[in-house]
Amino acid sequence: MRTALREWAFNSKRRTNPEEPIPDDVRVILDWVQRNTLSMAAWEQSDRVDTVVSALGTLLDGTAAASSSVSRNRRIMNLAMEYAVRHGILRQNPLPKGKGSGGGAPKVAQAIDKRSLLNPEQVTALLDWIGKRPLRRGPLYRAFFATLCYAGLRPEEAVALHVSDATLPETGWGEFIVHSARPEVGSQWTDSGEPHDDRDLKGRAEGDTRTVPIHPDLVGFLREVIVQYKLKPTDLLFPGEFGGRLAGSVFRRVWDKARAEVLQPHEYESPAGKRVYDCRHTCLTAWLNKGIPPAQVAEWAGNSVPVLLAIYARCIVGQRDNYLKQIYDVRYRSEAK
């Protein structure tokens, strides 16, 4: 039933495509759902609303869902209710609001888990293993993951880079001009029919860009890739196997394989670098721990300073002694008599 709803009933492109009629078995399910679904008038009954609110915080097996999942579910349901209000289907949003009413979203920890961060030795070993993979695309994958670890780009920003977006001198530091992102949402849910969707930078105005420094080591990796794969300025910096976008399923599989081969069994089972996005977290944390001002890190990372500090404040280490020295002379005492 969930598959029939997701793939057909909720997919406007697919359910209205005359070249792909709804299969008979799916039609049977959707007809049953239509006959047994309550009308929108059910939202006027408080007990029905309470049942929905409870379901938003519960998994299918009856156990409590994670706070992040509950918040996401409630946010999505509120969007649906507001849509119904705007179109005159409901008079008002029936979902409860505020604390103590059952509608307040649970608190979700913004700060990242320090255990998810990789140390420099682990990053070096992972990149080395990926670069030496027997497959011919090892250097390209190494450059991709190094872009996340050295420059702190989001994966969807890295896959959108073109060769012309990078300034790569023979020696010294280079520079990225990041101006777009290509999150992978599935071909059924994009207007273009492609797996990736074209987006502007997260948290930025339409058409905005940001510049990010490229470490000399990363410059070397990228120059090697451009030469080895004979990439032109208009080509993607990290092309997929057949020339298209680098698929998330592919680079996630490569990363998981590298972790399994490089890390100790207890490290592999731990949160350390478990997600590809943890490469970005590792980079931004390293910048902050080296004393780069948060405002500058936020500019390079494409975050606001409040969000940056909320996420990484617990991971800033190594500066406590300096801070204590700076406040040592702050004293409030009487003169001895």
Side-chain angles (χ1 to χ4, degrees):
M1 184 182 295
R2 289 163 62 87
T3 301
L5 291 172
R6 182 182 65 249
E7 301 295 331
W8 294 95
F10 301 154
N11 191 322
S12 59
K13 291 172 60 177
R14 198 172 187 186
R15 70 169 182 257
T16 58
N17 184 1
E19 298 180 359
E20 189 179 11
I22 299 178
D24 292 339
D25 57 336
V26 174
R27 173 63 67 187
V28 171
I29 295 173
L30 297 183
D31 287 346
W32 182 93
V33 171
Q34 187 170 12
R35 292 194 306 271
N36 289 274
T37 298
L38 299 175
S39 72
M40 293 295 284
W43 286 107
E44 298 178 1
Q45 304 172 33
S46 60
D47 59 331
R48 301 281 191 188
V49 176
D50 291 342
T51 300
V52 172
V53 171
S54 176
L56 294 176
T58 309
L59 300 180
L60 291 179
D61 61 5
T63 59
S67 296
S68 57
S69 297
V70 178
S71 295
R72 181 177 64 252
N73 292 342
R74 291 183 179 180
R75 186 166 60 249
I76 293 171
M77 183 59 74
N78 267 297
L79 288 173
M81 294 298 99
E82 294 298 336
Y83 178 90
V85 172
R86 289 199 308 272
H87 289 265
I89 301 171
L90 293 175
R91 289 176 294 178
Q92 61 183 6
N93 186 338
L95 296 179
K97 299 289 192 299
K99 298 181 179 179
S101 62
K107 291 185 177 180
V108 180
Q110 280 188 292
I112 62 170
D113 186 344
K114 291 180 68 171
R115 298 175 300 166
S116 68
L117 302 177
L118 296 163
N119 62 46
E121 292 75 20
Q122 290 171 328
V123 173
T124 300
L126 287 165
L127 293 180
D128 285 346
W129 186 89
I130 292 171
K132 296 174 182 177
R133 277 167 56 91
L135 300 179
R136 61 183 179 85
R137 293 176 60 79
L140 186 142
Y141 294 134
R142 177 182 62 183
F144 172 79
F145 292 115
T147 296
L148 312 185
C149 293
Y150 276 107
L153 267 63
R154 300 177 176 91
E156 62 266 27
E157 295 172 340
V159 299
L161 288 171
H162 289 77
V163 175
S164 59
D165 296 329
T167 301
L168 305 171
E170 293 185 6
T171 59
W173 289 77
E175 185 178 76
F176 283 128
I177 299 180
V178 187
H179 57 84
S180 63
R182 296 275 290 181
E184 193 172 37
V185 296
S187 58
Q188 296 182 12
W189 307 101
T190 61
D191 293 335
S192 64
E194 297 293 328
H196 296 83
D197 204 8
D198 285 311
R199 303 277 180 85
D200 289 304
L201 296 182
K202 184 176 181 180
R204 298 285 183 121
E206 183 178 352
D208 200 1
T209 65
R210 76 175 193 272
T211 57
V212 183
I214 306 177
H215 191 281
D217 290 352
L218 177 54
V219 170
F221 292 153
L222 295 173
R223 288 176 63 90
E224 177 184 348
V225 166
I226 292 172
V227 172
Q228 180 172 344
Y229 297 94
K230 300 178 181 179
L231 300 179
K232 301 176 183 178
T234 55
D235 290 337
L236 290 169
L237 188 55
F238 305 115
E241 183 71 33
F242 303 104
R245 304 281 174 177
L246 183 60
S249 59
V250 173
F251 65 68
R252 285 191 294 270
R253 187 166 59 247
V254 172
W255 184 250
D256 182 69
K257 179 66 174 178
R259 290 183 71 251
E261 292 292 333
V262 172
L263 302 182
Q264 296 296 319
H266 71 278
E267 293 175 325
Y268 176 76
E269 296 298 331
S270 77
K274 200 171 190 65
R275 304 177 307 158
V276 172
Y277 207 96
D278 292 328
C279 295
R280 168 178 161 88
H281 289 325
T282 296
C283 175
L284 270 54
T285 301
W287 286 347
L288 291 169
N289 283 329
K290 289 297 183 179
I292 306 298
Q296 182 60 75
V297 174
E299 172 63 25
W300 289 341
N303 281 343
S304 67
V305 173
V307 169
L308 183 82
L309 294 179
I311 295 175
Y312 300 101
R314 298 179 186 175
C315 300
I316 302 176
V317 298
Q319 300 177 38
R320 179 176 178 274
D321 291 344
N322 290 334
Y323 295 152
L324 294 181
K325 289 178 181 178
Q326 293 177 31
I327 62 175
Y328 180 77
D329 291 333
V330 180
R331 295 178 171 178
Y332 307 97
R333 60 182 182 179
S334 305
E335 292 292 336
K337 295 183 180 179

